[in-house]
Amino acid sequence: MNSQIQTAAGFIARLLANPALKSYTPLQKEEQILQFLNANSAQLMPTLRSPQFFSGLPDHEITSLLITALTNTIDTEIPAFLDLILDRRVNFDFISFMTQRADSSAQSRDQVRKLVETMLSRPESRRALTGPLAAVYYGMSKKYLDELFQRRGYTHFELTKVQRLRMGREHVQAMLDVNIILKPAIYSVSGSEGGQSSYSSGLVQPAFAETARSLLLKRLPAVPDSVVASSVHANMSFVEHPSVEATARLASVFSARARGYQPNQRVDRGADTPDKSWFSVARRNYKFYGFDVKILDELYSVAAELLW
Amino acid sequence: MDSPRTSRLVGILENIVLVAIVLVVIQSFVEDLAELLDWSWGLRRNVLYAAFALDLFFSVEFLTRFYAAFVRGSARRYMQHERGWIDLVASIPLLLFASGPQLAAIATGGAAIVGVGRTLNLLKIIKAIRIARVLRLLRALKLFRNIKHTDSVITQNHVARLASLLVTTFVAVLMFFSLVDIVANLPGFERSFRERTLTIAGTIAEQGLADSSSESALRSFVAYEQSILVVRESGHTRFARYPNEVFSRQFGPGDYTWIRSGSVEVFVSLRPVFRNQSRDSLIYLLVIVSIIGVLLFLYAPFFCMTVSDPAYVMTRGMREAGYNLQVSLNEDGGDDEMTALARSYNEEFLPLKARNAEENAASDLTLDSLGDLLDPS
């Protein structure tokens, strides 16, 4: 059995070394390989059943071995990746600013990290973290908020006048990043403490969101209620619930955008840039995903003008 | 399946062909410029050797390609769809009817081909052959694939078809009028030159200009008739426009003709006719180079932008699950069929694909990208 585990680990290591995955985050790599194994199992299995790989093992055991090896390998990269995200990419100082307590930033960071580690231990929430962590890793919120604040358009108005965020752009951006990270936290309360999840559609109803919010607040006592609420509301449809906060709407868009984000994607001649293409398609599908189409319009304009 | 060594060899040969194509374009211009700029015979002879060498090279290349296609059973495909007909038209006929006879004329001193005293009758045929040389420029179409914006197959085919039709039509019209000119003996520079030249010897003989007593009258006459090179009477030279070393340096066989009337012999330069033909030929070359240049650098990018690039993006989007870039459309673009298709692709297909992708997510990894990972070791 040990040799088969080693074979699986070796096989996965070779897959992970593929240049096509080089610039992805660990969870994106994991998702790419899972999708690859899923899509190509019919072609791969005859070879994987052969003596030089997993001789005599049934297909489902081979798959299980490979997935375990993949998860174990990615898990070795996760601590450093989380250090990078939570210590360097996100500045939790905005929480001290909101709560007026100096120690709440560090406490919040530790609690968020603990929650993320819990989410990573469950397959469903682990999958859901791919997009949000990628969004923070690639600095999506900073990239766009800088522009949106400069333009002072619809999104800026929604953030500062409607949501009434009385803090600087850096703090808003940090809050947005935390919203993005905590958006899939709804998975960590579904099914157990949170009762039956309505998450199969990708969107939740207000009643479920309210339960999730109160459960999450118990796990994240140092994080302000408004931050947790905005994170949970990022899973609600703005089309059906126009009161959803602007930060939640942005978190929802950026999480979705980053899930399949390919850094350094080559733009073919005659094609639009990746972000412009994505926002354009999202504008068509805004009802399906519950996005705020006006925010998408503004992000589309930014991407189109700056060739992102 | 070709071995890497074979592929490398083919690559080297293809590059040699490309260099030869560039050279043939340069050679075509230099040949006419040499005539216009009055280059020495030695230089012009080298240019003619180069023309022969290039025509021979392209004839061998055509025969090789045709033989290879024939062996593969794809001779018809090569001739029709892979521009084999251009290879044919721009090689063997030129070798047989243009550069080959020129080389033979040089080798035989000109007599074997043109015939002493009959040269004037052949001036229009020489003109027609000169026009046919323009066909060499069709080869420039082969440079398409190496130029930006023309790396798509449909662009190459479309632009090459258009260019070859335009150039061939242009050359065919010129050739047709040349043939009509030969048959109907239409008025023109060659005809008036011929008629005037044929009377020169008779005029000199009748008026006794070659007599030793009429030296000043002869000088006046040759000053008026600049094409007269030498006047001889009963074997004695009465007039020579240049010293002998100039004649041998500047004139080759075929550059002059010889006319006799009684005891009077006159050597007449044909260079004015050739210069006139070279000027016309240079204009034809420039017209064709301009047509090809406009097609390559203006029309091909336009075709790419409006047809092949959108088609490429849409094809990738439909074939590859993870490819979600939309076709770039000009906001105030037209309503042609391709724009309408691209708009449907952007506004209907991609959004639908994005929704389906929630269930059927794609990976950037492919079986092909695994390399030897699955190979038994």
Side-chain angles (χ1 to χ4, degrees):
Chain A
M1 192 63 187
N2 267 345
S3 69
Q4 286 169 337
I5 292 171
Q6 280 179 352
T7 305
F11 185 80
I12 291 299
R14 293 280 301 275
L15 283 180
L16 283 168
N18 193 300
L21 305 180
K22 194 180 165 191
S23 44
Y24 282 127
T25 66
L27 288 180
Q28 279 183 310
K29 287 180 192 171
E30 184 176 294
E31 191 162 298
Q32 288 281 324
I33 291 179
L34 285 174
Q35 285 161 359
F36 170 74
L37 293 174
N38 188 39
N40 298 288
S41 62
Q43 292 96 318
L44 288 170
M45 279 307 165
T47 309
L48 294 176
R49 273 186 238 117
S50 62
Q52 69 265 26
F53 285 105
F54 307 102
S55 180
L57 276 188
D59 289 359
H60 71 273
E61 280 190 39
I62 295 173
T63 305
S64 172
L65 270 174
L66 290 175
I67 290 174
T68 306
L70 175 62
T71 311
N72 290 342
T73 309
I74 294 297
D75 278 347
T76 61
E77 296 180 29
I78 289 292
F81 182 60
L82 286 184
D83 287 345
L84 175 70
I85 294 286
L86 299 174
D87 294 343
R88 279 191 266 167
R89 290 278 200 273
V90 183
N91 184 352
F92 281 85
D93 286 351
F94 80 96
I95 290 181
S96 292
F97 176 81
M98 288 175 86
T99 59
Q100 298 298 308
R101 279 178 34 227
D103 59 345
S104 59
S105 293
Q107 288 173 354
S108 297
R109 189 187 60 234
D110 294 343
Q111 288 165 8
V112 168
R113 181 173 183 125
K114 203 173 165 192
L115 183 65
V116 169
E117 285 169 347
T118 309
M119 289 159 69
L120 286 168
S121 65
R122 297 180 185 178
E124 198 183 18
S125 49
R126 188 182 175 99
R127 290 282 71 72
L129 268 171
T130 303
L133 292 185
V136 178
Y137 177 76
Y138 296 124
M140 214 152 266
S141 54
K142 175 170 175 31
K143 185 171 149 183
Y144 279 97
L145 273 189
D146 284 351
E147 282 298 318
L148 295 174
F149 269 68
Q150 213 169 2
R151 287 163 197 245
R152 297 180 162 266
Y154 170 78
T155 312
H156 179 262
F157 183 83
E158 288 289 304
L159 287 167
T160 55
K161 299 288 188 268
V162 181
Q163 193 173 345
R164 296 183 180 185
L165 292 177
R166 303 272 186 252
M167 39 191 190
R169 182 171 48 78
E170 287 81 8
H171 283 169
V172 174
Q173 180 219 317
M175 179 181 167
L176 180 55
D177 280 339
V178 172
N179 283 173
I180 290 171
I181 293 170
L182 291 180
K183 177 179 176 281
I186 200 158
Y187 280 100
S188 67
V189 297
S190 64
S192 52
E193 300 158 79
Q196 186 59 44
S197 168
S198 62
Y199 206 82
S200 57
S201 64
L203 296 168
V204 298
Q205 292 303 314
F208 179 81
E210 191 51 39
T211 311
R213 185 177 72 90
S214 56
L215 289 169
L216 281 173
L217 278 171
K218 288 179 193 166
R219 294 197 193 180
L220 303 164
V223 181
D225 185 6
S226 59
V227 177
V228 173
S230 174
S231 304
V232 170
H233 294 160
N235 297 286
M236 288 168 59
S237 168
F238 174 74
V239 178
E240 293 171 24
H241 309 288
S243 60
V244 167
E245 303 90 328
T247 45
R249 285 175 259 162
L250 282 168
S252 172
V253 170
F254 288 144
S255 298
R257 168 66 192 109
R259 190 171 175 202
Y261 185 77
Q262 300 170 41
N264 310 319
Q265 183 179 7
R266 196 175 78 89
V267 180
D268 291 311
R269 214 175 50 217
D272 274 333
T273 51
D275 276 7
K276 184 183 174 189
S277 294
W278 192 90
F279 289 124
S280 174
V281 169
R283 285 198 302 178
R284 298 270 156 195
N285 281 337
Y286 80 97
K287 286 182 186 166
F288 183 80
Y289 296 111
F291 293 146
D292 179 352
V293 72
K294 287 184 181 174
I295 283 183
L296 289 173
D297 285 343
E298 207 170 352
L299 293 172
Y300 172 83
S301 299
V302 172
E305 280 174 35
L306 299 174
L307 302 177
W308 285 347
Chain B
M1 194 76 171
D2 291 341
S3 67
R5 197 175 165 183
T6 312
S7 301
R8 205 163 44 244
L9 182 64
V10 169
I12 291 170
L13 288 174
E14 290 289 357
N15 284 333
I16 291 173
V17 170
L18 291 181
V19 171
I21 290 170
V22 173
L23 288 178
V24 89
V25 174
I26 295 170
Q27 191 278 333
S28 300
F29 276 100
V30 169
E31 192 175 332
D32 286 323
L33 281 175
E35 197 67 57
L36 280 175
L37 300 176
D38 210 14
W39 286 12
S40 71
W41 166 239
L43 285 174
R44 285 186 291 127
R45 186 177 51 203
N46 290 337
V47 175
L48 295 176
Y49 286 154
F52 178 78
L54 287 165
D55 284 342
L56 183 65
F57 174 84
F58 285 122
S59 297
V60 171
E61 186 224 354
F62 165 71
L63 291 172
T64 308
R65 284 186 192 275
F66 183 79
Y67 176 73
F70 183 77
V71 168
R72 286 197 308 268
S74 58
R76 189 171 172 172
R77 179 183 164 76
Y78 166 61
M79 291 303 289
Q80 285 186 349
H81 301 293
E82 294 172 6
R83 292 176 236 161
W85 68 273
I86 292 178
D87 292 348
L88 171 62
V89 169
S91 61
I92 294 174
L94 294 170
L95 183 71
L96 294 180
F97 300 114
S99 58
Q102 278 176 330
L103 191 77
I106 293 168
T108 59
I113 300 302
V114 292
V116 176
R118 293 173 185 262
T119 311
L120 296 174
N121 293 327
L122 295 173
L123 286 177
K124 289 183 177 178
I125 296 174
I126 293 171
K127 184 181 181 182
I129 290 171
R130 200 179 274 274
I131 289 168
R133 291 180 314 121
V134 176
L135 286 171
R136 284 187 188 130
L137 294 193
L138 277 177
R139 293 195 162 271
L141 298 176
K142 288 200 161 191
L143 298 173
F144 273 22
R145 70 196 67 173
N146 300 75
I147 292 174
K148 196 185 172 192
H149 288 302
T150 58
D151 49 358
S152 89
V153 177
I154 187 173
T155 306
Q156 283 186 26
N157 287 343
H158 190 88
V159 178
R161 176 67 62 96
L162 198 55
S164 50
L165 277 173
L166 287 172
V167 173
T168 315
T169 306
F170 181 69
V171 172
V173 170
L174 290 175
M175 291 288 284
F176 174 75
F177 277 105
S178 294
L179 293 174
V180 169
D181 193 10
I182 290 167
V183 174
N185 195 22
L186 298 173
F189 186 81
E190 286 88 0
R191 184 172 141 181
S192 60
F193 183 85
R194 180 177 178 274
E195 287 169 357
R196 202 173 67 245
T197 304
L198 282 173
T199 60
I200 283 175
T203 306
I204 293 174
E206 280 169 18
Q207 297 182 9
L209 297 175
D211 296 346
S212 54
S213 57
S214 308
E215 195 176 326
S216 64
L218 179 63
R219 293 213 172 276
S220 302
F221 187 74
V222 297
Y224 173 70
E225 281 294 349
Q226 285 291 319
S227 59
I228 294 173
L229 297 174
V230 175
V231 178
R232 296 170 78 182
E233 204 273 326
S234 302
H236 298 287
T237 301
R238 296 296 177 202
F239 168 77
R241 189 170 296 278
Y242 307 111
N244 278 343
E245 60 268 24
V246 174
F247 280 126
S248 58
R249 191 178 66 234
Q250 293 297 123
F251 289 84
D255 280 345
Y256 58 90
T257 192
W258 171 82
I259 302 159
R260 183 184 187 122
S261 177
S263 61
V264 174
E265 300 168 84
V266 181
F267 289 82
V268 178
S269 172
L270 298 176
R271 299 287 296 275
V273 181
F274 295 154
R275 266 196 291 274
N276 187 264
Q277 290 180 349
S278 288
R279 194 201 60 193
D280 289 349
S281 179
L282 210 54
I283 292 169
Y284 303 151
L285 285 171
L286 283 172
V287 167
I288 291 187
V289 166
S290 303
I291 288 173
I292 293 176
V294 164
L295 287 173
L296 267 182
F297 297 109
L298 294 180
Y299 182 72
F302 171 76
F303 185 83
C304 277
M305 204 168 66
T306 52
V307 178
S308 65
D309 287 349
Y312 177 77
V313 172
M314 287 188 278
T315 306
R316 279 199 73 183
M318 287 181 213
R319 280 190 183 156
E320 298 172 31
Y323 189 87
N324 298 309
L325 299 188
Q326 63 176 11
V327 176
S328 182
L329 289 173
N330 199 340
E331 296 294 332
D332 53 354
D335 276 332
D336 59 275
E337 293 85 343
M338 187 52 90
T339 306
L341 178 65
R343 193 163 281 132
S344 297
Y345 170 85
N346 285 355
E347 296 174 2
E348 290 166 40
F349 177 79
L350 280 182
L352 204 60
K353 182 181 173 184
R355 279 185 255 169
N356 287 336
E358 292 295 305
E359 291 152 19
N360 307 307
S363 172
D364 286 353
L365 289 179
T366 61
L367 286 170
D368 293 338
S369 71
L370 295 187
D372 62 353
L373 183 55
L374 297 175
D375 290 347
S377 52

